């Protein structure tokens, strides 16, 4: 399974970035190989539609799950269409977030919890 | 002749000047069309009370997918610079709200699977004003043609609505005189409204706020090479600094309108000055004569964009120092109070700055009116940290490589490509370019490319009441919504860093993109309105907006004694909508005096309105406590 986490830095001990579309970094964790890969979020500086653009990056990276702070409606629609599961309202380090998620401690969200950036 | 009436600051009297001009010119036997391009808060109809005989939607073309033809090549999503398309291996998702209608996706689709459909952004209405009797000749009935655009609540893109309104008056044979009532500010909607005018009149008032915003407006009309003059409204209030500035800059002062309470009262009831006062009508006629002379004698150059700097790689973000928001983990327990008004000039900034002074150094203030930032004039920030703001891209064309084929010119839907030397080469007009990249996509010789634009700056400063985050959007730039978000985010971060519990936001006028960016997610919104028909109309529109986004909102009535009946009506309307009334503030000259002395109103000795502002602030705090409990 591949888990994408929004992060304020490039390593697993960075905190989860509460923003999705405008997050500083994405960290992709592959549970099978136990690898961590930092990906710069190009959408962060986008003028418009950062949520959709970031969602496209998550989907293109082949992630099954997204762990983040807040997801807006456009991002939510995008991720849902691609079948990516989402857990939000997370405020730990990236590593802790993954452990907690794997321990089943995060409920999956069924709707957006913030407003769109336009 | 096309006459545009504009101003950097809202509430200076654009609509007063526009509607009176339209009427006195109609009374002189000319055919006149009044066009209201302040599509976020159109107010001309309040005075002209038109009978509408046609209306049509202002739209933007948005792609729809024909699933039977889509081969999932994903070329459309790659071509879209607005992320309005999401390409999945087996599905294409369209986000119509993000689409600018540039057509890049349809051009990119290899299988013709995208069909463009019109999506409504607003409504254009056309008709005739009510038949008026001007004071000059009460026997004669006068009428003008009227066109007005209105942006739908919740929509962000004003420019296509303005374009649609102006398109209908493109034919000069229809009307001898076209009066364009522009939106406030200096960003792209204003540029769209005034760019084809023969002459621009900038309306201002002789206060520090008026002067500050006039400077910005002057920079804007100079960028567009338009002939212009200034009208000073409420000319006897305030001081002489606007006059001195105009002298220095050799800007003609076309008219000065003294403040008369009777005029303000007539205005509050939706009556025109020229209906009530004979002299008013004559003054507006004199104003027209001066403008007409300027328009015919000035050598209006057509706007040719400057040659691009080809060596540029655009704005480089990597050189920035770390802004406050990246130094903290998460701003927690910070509440945000946003002051907006819909209509400009209702006293937002005077009230917000007083709140800041009353917050006893527990707040951070954010000036989100990035088009016309005035707050700094009364809180006097020092020790400024500056960051650049880059919010989008613009195209540039290498004129050496360009073969003059004209494909970019043909495909650009924003009229941003300008032929040079009869089409031997082409240049991009950055004031029109929306960064869609269609020119880059169609250019057969790769002469066009997109570069990041620097569209403004933002600052973190210190003031006597606490930190301040503010910004300045470049002239003619769009994306003020994103700059507004930056200012709010940084202000919240500053609050968290300094252990302050409150962010006070001075919002922009209108109901469009920058306003939506200012209010979303706020703890409480204070709508500052005034007891005029325009104030009422605009209060209803902003209340609809905050209701749309489900944000707790209250009403504060400023200059309440100008028309007590109208103040009652404002209260009734607010109550009907479930908005608590936070208080009434009287009209008093000490508000202008405070500006002149670079103070907030509550810091003035003996201002009778200071107590009223304190009472409103107390109510705001009570509602904030409710919001948290």
């Amino acid at each position: 399974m591949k888990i994408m986490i929004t992060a304020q830095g490039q390593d697993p001990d960075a905190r989860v970035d509460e923003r999705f579309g405008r997050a500083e970094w994405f960290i992709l964790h592959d549970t099978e190989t136990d690898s961590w890969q930092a990906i710069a979020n190009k959408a962060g500086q986008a003028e418009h539609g950062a949520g959709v653009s970031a969602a496209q990056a998550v989907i293109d990276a082949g992630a099954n799950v997204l762990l983040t702070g807040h997801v807006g409606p456009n991002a939510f629609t995008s991720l849902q269409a691609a079948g990516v599961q989402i857990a939000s309202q997370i405020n730990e380090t990236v590593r802790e977030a993954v452990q907690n998620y794997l321990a089943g401690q995060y409920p999956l969200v069924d709707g957006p919890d913030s407003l769109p950036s336009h | 002749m096309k006459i545009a009436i504009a101003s950097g600051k809202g509430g200076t009297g654009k609509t007063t000047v526009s509607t009176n001009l339209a009427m006195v010119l109609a009374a002189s036997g000319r055919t006149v069309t009044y066009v209201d391009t302040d599509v976020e808060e159109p107010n001309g109809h309040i005075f002209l009370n038109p009978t509408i005989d046609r209306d049509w939607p202002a739209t933007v073309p948005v792609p729809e997918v024909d699933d039977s033809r889509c081969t999932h090549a994903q070329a459309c999503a790659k071509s879209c610079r607005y992320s309005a398309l999401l390409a999945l291996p087996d599905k294409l998702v369209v986000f119509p709200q993000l689409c600018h209608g540039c057509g890049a996706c349809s051009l990119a689709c290899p299988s013709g699977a995208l069909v463009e459909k019109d999506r409504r952004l607003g409504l254009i209405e056309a008709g005739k004003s009510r038949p008026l009797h001007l004071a000059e000749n009460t026997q004669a009935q006068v009428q003008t043609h009227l066109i007005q655009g209105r942006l739908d609540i919740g929509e962000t893109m004003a420019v296509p609505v303005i374009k649609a309104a102006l398109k209908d008056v493109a034919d000069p044979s229809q009307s001898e005189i076209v009066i364009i009532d522009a939106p406030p500010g200096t960003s792209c909607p204003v540029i769209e409204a005034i760019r084809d005018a023969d002459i621009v009149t900038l309306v201002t008032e002789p206060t520090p706020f008026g002067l500050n915003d006039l400077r910005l407006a002057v920079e804007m009309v100079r960028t567009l090479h338009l002939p212009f003059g200034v009208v000073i409204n409420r000319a006897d209030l305030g001081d002489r600094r606007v006059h001195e500035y105009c002298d220095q800059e050799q800007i003609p002062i076309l008219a000065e309108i003294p403040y008369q309470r009777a005029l303000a009262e007539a205005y509050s009831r939706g009556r025109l000055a020229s209906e009530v006062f004979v002299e008013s009508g004559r003054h507006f006629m004199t104003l027209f004569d001066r403008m007409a002379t300027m328009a015919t004698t000035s050598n209006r150059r057509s706007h040719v964009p400057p040659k691009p700097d080809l060596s540029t790689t655009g704005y480089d973000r990597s050189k920035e120092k770390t802004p406050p928001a990246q130094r903290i983990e998460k701003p927690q327990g910070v509440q945000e109070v946003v002051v907006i008004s819909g209509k400009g000039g209702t006293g937002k900034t005077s009230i917000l700055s007083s709140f800041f002074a009353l917050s006893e150094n527990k707040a951070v203030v954010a000036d989100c009116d990035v088009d016309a930032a005035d707050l700094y004039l009364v809180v006097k920030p020092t020790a400024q940290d500056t960051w650049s703001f880059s919010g989008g891209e613009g195209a540039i064309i290498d004129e050496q490589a360009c073969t003059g084929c004209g494909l970019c010119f043909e495909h650009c839907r924003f009229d941003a490509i300008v032929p040079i030397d009869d089409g031997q080469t082409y240049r991009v007009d950055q004031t029109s370019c929306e960064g869609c990249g269609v020119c880059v996509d169609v250019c057969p010789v790769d002469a066009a490319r997109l570069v990041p634009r620097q569209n403004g700056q933002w600052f973190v400063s210190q003031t006597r009441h606490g930190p301040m985050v503010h910004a300045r959007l470049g002239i003619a730039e769009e994306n003020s919504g994103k700059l507004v978000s930056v200012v709010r985010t940084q202000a919240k971060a500053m609050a968290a860093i300094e252990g302050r519990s409150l962010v006070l936001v001075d919002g922009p006028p209108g109901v469009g993109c920058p306003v939506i960016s200012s209010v979303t997610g706020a703890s409480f919104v204070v709508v500052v309105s005034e007891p005029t028909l325009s104030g009422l109309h605009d209060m209803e529109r902003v209340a609809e907006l905050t209701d749309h986004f489900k944000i707790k909102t209250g009403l504060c009535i400023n200059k309440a004694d100008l028309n007590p009946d109208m103040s009652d009506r404002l209260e009734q309307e607010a109550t009907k909508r479930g908005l608590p009334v936070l208080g009434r503030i009287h009209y008093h000259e000490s508000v202008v005096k405070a500006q002149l002395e670079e103070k907030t109103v509550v810091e003035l000795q003996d201002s009778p309105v200071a107590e009223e502002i304190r009472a409103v602030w107390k109510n705001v705090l009570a509602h904030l406590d409710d919001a948290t409990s």
Side-chain angles (χ1 to χ4, degrees), chain B residues 330-535:
Chain B
K330 195 177 175 183
Q332 273 172 339
V334 177
Q335 288 190 306
E336 231 181 338
V337 175
V338 185
V339 179
I340 55 170
S341 63
K343 184 177 180 319
T346 59
K348 256 187 333 304
T349 303
S350 295
I351 290 172
L352 186 274
S353 58
S354 293
F355 289 174
F356 189 35
L358 293 172
S359 67
E360 297 166 338
N361 251 298
K362 290 195 183 89
V364 173
V365 82
D367 192 348
C368 287
D369 189 359
V370 297
D371 246 34
D374 285 340
L375 183 61
Y376 78 94
L377 294 167
V378 286
V379 297
K380 304 271 38 167
T382 52
Q384 197 159 270
D385 254 338
T386 305
W387 283 267
S388 293
F389 166 73
S390 170
E393 294 184 317
I396 55 174
I397 294 173
D398 178 350
E399 288 168 32
Q400 295 297 312
C402 173
T403 60
C405 72
L407 275 174
C408 54
F409 178 71
E410 203 180 299
H411 283 99
C412 175
R413 291 185 181 174
F414 307 112
D415 303 322
I417 309 279
V418 182
I420 303 290
D421 299 335
D422 291 328
Q424 285 185 38
T425 183
Y426 291 85
R427 211 172 273 177
V428 181
D429 180 354
Q430 297 300 333
T431 67
S432 294
C433 179
E434 298 209 5
C436 71
V438 161
C439 53
V440 180
D441 297 349
V442 299
C443 180
V445 293
D446 292 335
R449 65 192 164 101
L450 287 170
V451 290
R453 276 205 283 231
Q454 188 196 316
N455 336 57
Q457 287 181 308
W458 61 272
F459 320 97
V460 176
S461 307
Q462 291 301 325
T463 78
R464 61 188 180 276
H465 304 298
M468 168 176 189
V469 183
H470 47 133
R472 178 158 176 213
L473 187 70
I475 298 292
E477 292 291 352
E478 61 162 342
N479 328 294
S480 42
K482 193 185 161 199
L483 183 52
V484 165
S485 308
V486 169
V487 170
R488 278 182 72 195
T489 309
Q490 300 298 339
K492 261 191 176 167
M494 278 308 290
I497 288 167
E498 299 215 350
R500 290 163 189 264
S501 53
L502 197 60
V503 171
L504 294 169
V505 178
D506 192 0
V511 292
C513 165
V515 183
I516 294 173
S517 282
S518 299
V519 298
T520 44
S523 319
F524 194 71
V525 169
V526 179
V527 175
V528 175
S529 192
E530 60 177 32
T532 63
L533 279 171
S534 322

Side-chain angles (χ1 to χ4, degrees), chain A residues 8 15 45 47 53 56 78 118, chain B residues 83 87 95 329 391 479 513:
Chain A
Q8 294 179 9
R15 293 198 84 84
Q45 290 311 308
E47 180 186 340
S53 179
Q56 181 93 58
S78 304
H118 55 255
Chain B
S83 302
F95 293 90
E329 284 169 2
N479 328 294
C513 165

